[in-house]
Amino acid sequence: MVLLAIVACFSVAIAGGATLLGFDDKPVRFAHRTTAGVERSPAADQRIIHVGDQPPVRMIGAPFVPNTNPRER
């Protein structure tokens, strides 16, 4: 917690110093809330793929089984 507080204070000090020295010359611009200017994505013309319709994948080798009890091997 102390390290987190030190890093946070250090970051705030650097950001405050950069603001006071004027390194940020560009004005802040907010995004438009309307979607009128947004183009449609090209993926809308493609067909929909359902996960259940895909063929099963062939596994080669033994399936992975997590070791939940490390004393038994």
Side-chain angles (χ1 to χ4, degrees):
M1 292 301 282
V2 174
L3 181 61
L4 179 64
I6 291 171
V7 169
C9 291
F10 188 70
S11 299
V12 168
I14 290 176
T19 303
L20 290 176
L21 294 177
F23 288 125
D24 188 20
D25 294 336
K26 295 182 181 179
V28 177
R29 294 185 182 186
F30 295 104
H32 295 289
R33 295 288 179 177
T34 60
T35 58
V38 178
E39 296 178 13
R40 300 288 299 204
S41 64
D45 297 342
Q46 297 176 354
R47 66 184 188 104
I48 298 173
I49 299 173
H50 297 284
V51 177
D53 294 342
Q54 294 179 353
V57 178
R58 180 180 173 199
M59 286 184 50
I60 299 174
F64 174 75
V65 178
N67 186 11
T68 56
N69 192 354
R71 293 184 182 175
E72 296 177 3
R73 290 191 177 223

